[in-house]
């Protein structure tokens, strides 16, 4: 079903908690004109839609939807990561991930499906049961499913709480129904539904605990990692804007020694 551009703008304005009056003044149009746009009495120009999208911080994929709903051509390309156009980007991301071995590193799309991974990350993903290894591997699903990494995550409650908060923020920011469906799915897992008090363990309040670590029980060892998330600056392509690179690092000395041993 086609949604009118005015309805889409109303939805985004509501998500961002900004009044019609404030939005109109901030983008330099009259409140009357913006009201006409939202009620369908006036067709917005691409320039006005760009200004509104900038102020409302609308992702590129949804900006294309706005343009199409208003009868304009989409402005932003969406090149698959394995396309010829993306050859250089794919190669550089691959080099970055490979250079991060023996630490885990992977590239994720908007829904946190793994699109590229280094050798260490691939070895970890190979520990998943066959049904969770189906391509593309979804990191939210793999991390929170009772048969996935949940069974080996030593601090599952606090790590799951972090992941759920991240997923819910992504849903709010994008308004993507696919992400909302993923949130509903993982929230129904018994491992997640059984979380108490938001899933934050008592250890998270300890002095010196600056980050929520990922603690994995591998054999008789508990390895602790923290992660960084990197995105592309000033993207003009939907795929690039939605691509996130996650790199894991040792969070304590025993894990650092284990990584060094793996490297040797």
């Amino acid at each position: 079903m086609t949604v009118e551009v005015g309805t889409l703008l109303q939805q985004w304005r509501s998500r961002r908690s900004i009044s019609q009056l404030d939005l109109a003044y901030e983008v330099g149009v009259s409140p009357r004109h913006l009201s006409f746009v939202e009620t369908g009495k006036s067709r917005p120009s691409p320039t006005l839609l760009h200004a509104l999208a900038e102020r409302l911080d609308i992702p590129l994929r949804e900006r294309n939807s706005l343009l199409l709903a208003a009868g304009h051509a989409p402005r932003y390309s969406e090149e698959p990561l394995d396309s010829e156009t993306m050859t250089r980007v794919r190669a550089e991301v691959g080099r970055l991930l490979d250079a991060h071995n023996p630490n885990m590193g992977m590239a994720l799309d908007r829904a946190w499906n793994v699109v590229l991974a280094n050798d260490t990350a691939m070895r970890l993903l190979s520990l998943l049961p066959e049904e969770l290894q189906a391509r593309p591997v979804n990191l939210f699903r793999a991390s929170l499913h009772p048969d996935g990494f949940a069974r080996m995550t030593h601090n599952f409650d606090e790590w799951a709480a972090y992941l759920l908060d991240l997923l819910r923020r992504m849903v709010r920011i994008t308004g993507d129904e696919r992400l909302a469906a993923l949130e509903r799915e993982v929230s129904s897992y018994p491992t997640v539904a059984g979380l108490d008090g938001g899933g934050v363990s008592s250890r998270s309040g300890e002095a010196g605990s600056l980050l929520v670590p990922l603690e994995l029980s591998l054999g008789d060892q508990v390895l602790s990692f923290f992660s960084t998330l990197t995105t592309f600056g000033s993207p003009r392509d939907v795929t690039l804007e939605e691509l996130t690179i996650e790199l894991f690092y040792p969070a304590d000395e025993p894990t650092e020694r284990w990584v060094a041993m793996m490297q040797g």
Side-chain angles (χ1 to χ4, degrees):
M1 182 178 66
T2 303
V3 181
E4 298 294 330
V5 64
T7 301
L8 291 174
L9 286 171
Q10 289 177 25
Q11 291 172 351
W12 281 107
R13 189 166 54 76
S14 176
R15 288 191 188 103
R16 301 301 187 249
S17 300
I18 182 172
S19 70
Q20 189 180 82
L21 181 65
D22 287 341
L23 180 59
Y25 284 132
E26 289 188 31
V27 300
V29 298
S30 71
R32 179 183 175 86
H33 181 53
L34 182 56
S35 175
F36 279 6
V37 168
E38 290 194 355
T39 57
K41 295 179 181 178
S42 179
R43 180 191 184 204
S45 67
T47 301
L48 176 57
L49 286 177
H50 176 72
L52 292 168
E54 284 288 306
R55 173 57 186 86
L56 294 171
D57 194 25
I58 299 176
L60 299 188
R61 180 181 297 278
E62 284 68 33
R63 294 188 191 198
N64 278 344
S65 297
L66 279 176
L67 288 163
L68 286 169
H72 305 300
R75 175 175 295 186
Y76 304 99
S77 64
E78 184 179 359
E79 295 289 342
L81 194 60
D82 58 359
S83 68
E84 185 177 351
T85 307
M86 289 286 193
T87 298
R88 182 175 293 276
V89 171
R90 187 173 63 253
E92 293 300 330
V93 171
R95 274 193 279 271
L96 174 64
L97 297 177
D98 290 342
H100 197 60
N101 277 311
N103 289 300
M104 294 180 292
M106 59 195 79
L108 312 167
D109 66 13
R110 173 187 269 195
W112 274 39
N113 295 312
V114 178
V115 293
L116 289 173
N118 65 10
D119 293 339
T120 306
M122 289 301 294
R123 285 198 294 271
L124 182 68
L125 294 174
S126 71
L127 300 177
L128 291 168
E130 186 175 348
E131 62 270 21
L132 292 176
Q133 287 192 50
R135 300 297 178 88
V137 176
N138 183 271
L139 206 55
F140 285 118
R141 187 177 289 118
S143 299
L144 298 171
H145 194 282
D147 295 328
F149 294 132
R151 58 192 168 88
M152 64 179 71
T153 302
H154 186 67
N155 63 331
F156 178 78
D157 283 10
E158 59 183 343
W159 186 248
Y162 156 70
L163 290 178
L164 287 169
D165 180 66
L166 177 62
L167 178 55
R168 287 164 181 160
R169 281 189 282 121
M170 290 165 60
V171 172
R172 289 197 301 270
I173 290 169
T174 65
D176 192 326
E177 178 53 36
R178 295 171 302 169
L179 287 174
L182 180 60
E183 180 196 346
R184 291 192 294 270
E185 177 191 333
V186 299
S187 295
S188 71
Y189 295 163
T191 44
V192 175
L195 292 178
D196 57 341
V200 179
S201 75
S202 60
R203 293 187 311 125
S204 64
E206 291 179 357
S209 179
L210 303 178
L211 297 165
V212 177
L214 168 62
E215 296 179 352
L216 294 176
S217 298
L218 297 179
D220 58 353
Q221 287 186 294
V222 175
L223 304 176
S224 182
F225 303 90
F226 68 87
S227 70
T228 62
L229 301 176
T230 303
T231 57
F232 285 88
S234 305
R236 294 187 60 81
D237 179 89
V238 173
T239 299
L240 287 183
E241 186 194 46
E242 295 177 353
L243 196 66
T244 297
I245 300 169
E246 183 168 31
L247 302 177
F248 288 85
Y249 299 85
D252 58 23
E253 290 185 5
T255 304
E256 189 171 8
R257 290 194 295 269
W258 181 86
V259 169
M261 181 182 67
M262 293 290 291
Q263 192 169 26

